[in-house]
Amino acid sequence: MGFNTVGVVGAGQMGQGITQLVATRGFHVVLYDIDPHALEGAQEQITGGLNKAVKKGILTEWVREKTLKNLKITSKFEDLGYCDLVIEAVPEKEEMKLEVFEGLEEICPESTLFASNTSSLPITRLAACTDRKKQFIGLHFMNPVPIMELVEVVRGWHTSDETFDQIQEFVKKLGKTLIVSKDYPGFIVNRVLMPMINEAIFALTEGIGSPEDIDKAMTLGGGHPMGPFALADMIGLDVCLDIMEIMHSEFGESKYRPAPLLRKYVEADMLGKKTGQGFYHYDDPDTPKSLK
Ligand code: NAD
């Protein structure tokens, strides 16, 4: 059975991108957030994103109009109650995610599938707070969602083949490439990516190089499309810290300890692009970054 209506919980960076992508592909989307400002921002970002895509010739006017019609942006949690699939994209804090799924469990029909966009939390443990462990799956989109090609799918201990097949079909309809990861902290992408970003921050702390030089080392020398500091600023330094903390506590190994300088930036509310200041500063998100 295909999905008709998809719910998205959390209208931050990822929720916005997921909503835009899914609505563009012809699904009805209900986007919910507890923060009305986040919903206003999402409406603006999604409309802006669609306009840009039309200007670049990626989307037609017709698709833009249809996408906007497919969208319902709401501050009423109950509006998620008629979705066939709900994708959770609230911050990377286990207690927040559990609260969302416990709430969804009460309002959604038994047939609804639950997915988490978590970057690193165990899917099996998130699923355990619901009575639909077979219909629970990790659906990890990459940032920026409309552009990045990959979706990492994570099967929890009890995820059924039927759920996996439905999600596989859905990812195909989104035009993305799917990889499957076992339910291990950080899955595949962040297990490899985050320790690299964290190590770059240790290297900066030790004075080995500036953020610009370390980024150049990895782009021009390592063949990466973005350097670790530019990428960390785009992901959000709070998200990077949460992921390192989860991997550190789950594996119990010192190689995953977050760099103290990363923690300092988060404490100072310098979270990267989203606050206008991280390892680089951003006068305007659309203009090139400049060094502090
Ligand atoms: P974000 O901070 O930009 O957005 C989170 C949103 O959730 C905010 O708008 C907040 O108001 C909302 N929220 C908080 N509690 C809520 C609740 N109870 N109900 C509804 N909304 C609630 O975070 P983000 O960067 O979009 O990350 C969201 C998730 O996606 C995290 O699990 C993160 O690890 C994962 N993720 C992030 C990236 C990235 O590059 N930022 C990439 C892949 C996955």
Side-chain angles (χ1 to χ4, degrees):
M1 186 196 79
F3 307 124
N4 179 32
T5 306
V6 176
V8 177
V9 187
Q13 286 200 82
M14 295 306 290
Q16 289 171 16
I18 295 167
T19 300
Q20 183 180 322
L21 169 72
V22 176
T24 307
R25 292 289 170 149
F27 296 91
H28 292 282
V29 184
V30 178
L31 173 63
Y32 163 81
D33 199 291
I34 35 164
D35 177 1
H37 296 298
L39 290 173
E40 278 166 32
Q43 175 83 64
E44 222 170 87
Q45 284 291 326
I46 293 169
T47 310
L50 292 171
N51 290 345
K52 239 189 223 171
V54 171
K55 250 191 201 161
K56 285 186 181 167
I58 300 167
L59 290 183
T60 62
E61 287 274 358
W62 185 82
V63 173
R64 179 185 60 185
E65 290 315 303
K66 191 156 184 299
T67 302
L68 290 171
K69 275 191 198 139
N70 282 343
L71 257 184
K72 182 180 172 92
I73 294 185
T74 181
S75 53
K76 283 192 203 136
F77 189 67
E78 314 83 68
D79 288 342
L80 295 162
Y82 57 88
C83 296
D84 306 306
L85 163 71
V86 181
I87 305 169
E88 165 278 313
V90 305
E92 191 72 353
K93 304 276 184 214
E94 189 165 345
E95 64 285 1
M96 284 189 172
K97 292 186 187 289
L98 292 177
E99 202 181 314
V100 166
F101 286 116
E102 281 161 4
L104 289 171
E105 181 80 343
E106 283 177 21
I107 60 162
C108 294
E110 276 177 20
S111 55
T112 304
L113 299 196
F114 289 171
S116 176
N117 185 49
T118 179
S119 303
S120 54
L121 284 162
I123 294 303
T124 307
R125 206 157 72 210
L126 294 178
C129 77
T130 72
D131 281 332
R132 60 186 86 197
K133 300 175 187 62
K134 288 183 182 171
Q135 290 154 254
F136 200 110
I137 199 159
L139 193 52
H140 183 211
F141 289 88
M142 307 295 130
N143 185 17
V145 181
I147 292 167
M148 297 296 280
E149 200 183 323
L150 186 77
V151 177
E152 187 175 39
V153 172
V154 185
R155 292 185 74 150
W157 192 266
H158 299 286
T159 307
S160 68
D161 288 345
E162 197 189 343
T163 298
F164 177 76
D165 291 346
Q166 281 180 276
I167 290 296
Q168 194 170 24
E169 193 56 31
F170 176 61
V171 171
K172 211 167 159 193
K173 284 187 181 155
L174 298 181
K176 300 287 183 191
T177 300
L178 174 151
I179 56 165
V180 183
S181 169
K182 284 207 171 141
D183 189 16
Y184 253 61
F187 315 128
I188 297 173
V189 172
N190 284 314
R191 176 78 180 268
V192 178
L193 176 65
M194 278 303 152
M196 185 199 71
I197 288 177
N198 200 45
E199 199 57 34
I201 301 170
F202 274 117
L204 172 68
T205 314
E206 289 161 27
I208 295 173
S210 65
E212 269 196 332
D213 279 347
I214 296 172
D215 273 358
K216 271 188 199 150
M218 298 314 293
T219 52
L220 305 182
H224 294 206
M226 277 176 103
F229 291 103
L231 182 55
D233 274 359
M234 190 183 80
I235 292 169
L237 302 186
D238 51 341
V239 177
C240 295
L241 177 61
D242 286 340
I243 297 170
M244 285 311 296
E245 277 179 336
I246 289 161
M247 294 210 295
H248 189 213
S249 86
E250 292 291 320
F251 288 117
E253 286 186 38
S254 63
K255 68 175 174 178
Y256 298 115
R257 74 205 181 287
L261 185 61
L262 172 61
R263 199 180 293 285
K264 232 359 116 207
Y265 271 77
V266 174
E267 284 165 0
D269 201 34
M270 301 201 303
L271 307 181
K273 245 181 166 176
K274 63 181 160 189
T275 56
Q277 175 79 59
F279 290 104
Y280 297 100
H281 79 243
Y282 304 84
D283 296 329
D284 169 346
D286 289 331
T287 57
K289 62 189 188 286
S290 57
L291 269 178
K292 293 186 281 180

